Amino acid sequence: VPPARDRIEDLYRRILAQGLDLTAEGLSGLLTDLYEACLVANAGYERTELTTQIAGKSYFAFEKPDGKISRAVNESLYEPSPEAWSTLVEALRGQDFAPLTLGEMTKAVYSLAMSFCVHIDLTRTRDQKTPGTLFEYLIGHLFASRLGVNPRNRLPVLNLDMETTLPTDYVFDLGRGQPKFHLPIKTSTRERMIQVWAHQRVLDGVYGTGRFLGTPVILAETMTRTATREVVEICLPDQWRLYQMHIAQLKRIYYLDVPAAYEPLGLIFPPIHVRPFGQFFFEAEELSA
Amino acid sequence: VPPARDRIEDLYRRILAQGLDLTAEGLSGLLTDLYEACLVANAGYERTELTTQIAGKSYFAFEKPDGKISRAVNESLYEPSPEAWSTLVEALRGQDFAPLTLGEMTKAVYSLAMSFCVHIDLTRTRDQKTPGTLFEYLIGHLFASRLGVNPRNRLPVLNLDMETTLPTDYVFDLGRGQPKFHLPIKTSTRERMIQVWAHQRVLDGVYGTGRFLGTPVILAETMTRTATREVVEICLPDQWRLYQMHIAQLKRIYYLDVPAAYEPLGLIFPPIHVRPFGQFFFEAEELSA
């Protein structure tokens, strides 16, 4: 086992050890270290072009000598730069995002997340869970730092003769009379996105409609066809409209790599606001208005 | 590749070739042949006891010489008997279930389904999809034969300026002014069961509450811990109550192997009716009353 791989394992474990303390100062540093270690580990891989029919997008994959390839990486979003990440960390510390553009913030987060995904894709077999968990901590940390509050993942239910707790995705409670965020975090959703609407519906039902702002964050919806190495995006825009009309209302759906088929959903009525994740940093206050 | 395995492959493909024509006469015979071929294929495996804390249940697994084991098989439900299956097929043909008990019908279906699951578990790696697909055809065939109508898996949506189709699980439409059944079929659900309630909610929203009777059919919720070979059931009864209160109402939840934690849900108010699958054959008419 090469030393970079050991170091990544160790950093990953230390990140997970933070549990729900996602505002912790040290967490940004651990993520920076992990990012750098992943870049070192991935430096030995070749890049191989992938084809795609998606207008305006191009993808590549990292490839091992034995021909195994990583998930698809968006060429215009992947700009590995620990400096750009550190600039974002600094901006969060001072809550001043003027020095950064929406695109720069999205790229900084995408590149960190993707460098870890690529490392796991090429060193393990069929491990979707580890990249998903790291992505949860990464986005959870950014959300927590922006809002200045740690999340919970379990809420009490007191409903007449029923007393239980409801396990949830991260929820961020800004306090009495303030908004609460419901933050499912996924590396991709495909046909499972209905779960997010359903969880939102349960929160609306148990605590009252509008108390939790549903703002899921998703990495991408890409899939690489094995035989042709073509990248497609698995999207269900018509179904999403039915879910938004009939199950619950999500406030925002943030993507690091926004799927082409979901972008127009903000332009037709009733709109579903699908946005690049960088926008969250600018609009966090506005969301609760 | 031994001949039994080839024959199973061939029968499986011919069953899938029926598509949505699940009332087809020939389908019962294909399932009988598949059942017999699986029993031949599995005859060479040893049985190994599994432990469990679940009161009143005991499980075993089939084991290959290399130590690989199948999923957990419920000892009191697994009674391999193509004759018992044929008796059920005859009862369906004549729509006369008096010669059979609820328990006999549940066992007949469980034993056929499980013999195929065991075969796939021990001849492939991590293939959950093939057993799931066969289970869908098996239950779909029994439902279609009982109701005398083929299912659809796509419904038109005409909602003002919105014209699309909604992909669904099997839905059985008994005709104008008659009930329609919404039939998700899964080998296990664990924490994904919320999807079933969410799909029911969309049907209620698009077509009107109460038009579709939600009657999911699930094989089991067992999981075998690798290290200890202990069988546990992954159940979320408190969450199910919140889903039933806040997302939608399911009419029945049928199991072949009813999980211990879900049985009491029919006894507390508001009830969730979790029943052994055999009961469906007796209560099909009553459901729509």
Side-chain angles (χ1 to χ4, degrees), chain A residues 164 167 195 201 205 238-239 246, chain B residues 164 167 195 201 205 238-239 246:
Chain A
T164 182
Q195 285 182 21
R201 168 99 207 161
D238 284 342
Q239 274 130 282
H246 292 291
Chain B
T164 183
Q195 286 182 20
R201 168 101 206 159
D238 285 342
Q239 273 130 284
H246 293 291

Side-chain angles (χ1 to χ4, degrees), chain B residues 134-162:
Chain B
L134 190 275
F135 188 63
E136 235 176 274
Y137 277 80
L138 169 62
I139 300 299
H141 172 57
L142 294 170
F143 231 83
S145 304
R146 179 66 180 85
L147 299 176
V149 61
N150 277 324
R152 305 166 67 178
N153 58 12
R154 190 168 273 282
L155 293 170
V157 176
L158 298 167
N159 184 1
L160 295 175
D161 56 352
M162 191 175 192

Side-chain angles (χ1 to χ4, degrees), chain A residues 132-203:
Chain A
T133 304
L134 191 274
F135 188 62
E136 236 176 274
Y137 276 81
L138 169 62
I139 300 299
H141 172 57
L142 294 169
F143 231 83
S145 304
R146 179 66 181 86
L147 299 176
V149 60
N150 277 325
R152 306 165 66 177
N153 57 11
R154 191 167 273 282
L155 294 171
V157 176
L158 298 168
N159 184 2
L160 296 176
D161 56 352
M162 191 177 193
E163 249 180 80
T164 182
T165 57
L166 179 67
T168 61
D169 295 292
Y170 289 149
V171 292
F172 293 87
D173 187 345
L174 301 190
R176 222 172 228 271
Q178 297 297 312
K180 300 171 204 317
F181 286 88
H182 167 223
L183 186 67
I185 302 172
K186 318 266 177 198
T187 49
S188 77
T189 70
R190 305 200 182 161
E191 71 297 325
R192 299 184 313 273
M193 186 67 175
I194 194 171
Q195 285 182 21
V196 171
W197 268 280
H199 283 127
Q200 181 66 39
R201 168 99 207 161
V202 173
L203 292 176

Side-chain angles (χ1 to χ4, degrees), chain A residues 2 24 31 39 59 62 75 85 105 125 151 178 181 187 202 225 229 247 254 266:
Chain A
L31 286 162
L39 294 181
Y59 287 91
F62 287 90
E75 277 195 15
W85 164 253
M105 294 203 274
T125 303
Q178 297 297 312
F181 286 88
T187 49
V202 173
R225 293 194 200 282
R229 291 202 172 177
I247 304 179
Y254 292 114

